[in-house]
Amino acid sequence: MAKEPKNHRKPWSPEDLKKLRAEVKGNTPTPVLGIHFGRTPAAIGAKAKAINLSLKPTNKSPYGTKKK
């Protein structure tokens, strides 16, 4: 059985939410956010959705637009 993250099922603090917004603004990947916050990537995604925060990277080109 997989080990649970250290903050599994714990409530999010206001400081955590502030840090989450800052890191998402900096285009930090979701799995890395999970490590930083001690939560699963699914938990990061669920909280981002709950506070209307997009996890889509803002500085990357869409797939398939690179010229060959």
Side-chain angles (χ1 to χ4, degrees), residues 21-68:
R21 285 186 178 96
E23 291 203 29
V24 166
K25 192 173 184 180
N27 290 323
T28 305
T30 306
V32 175
L33 289 173
I35 293 168
H36 289 177
F37 289 97
R39 299 177 186 271
T40 63
I44 299 292
K47 180 51 81 172
K49 185 176 181 180
I51 62 172
N52 294 321
L53 187 63
S54 175
L55 294 176
K56 290 183 181 180
T58 58
N59 64 353
K60 291 188 177 183
S61 301
Y63 292 113
T65 59
K66 187 176 180 181
K67 294 186 179 183
K68 293 180 181 181

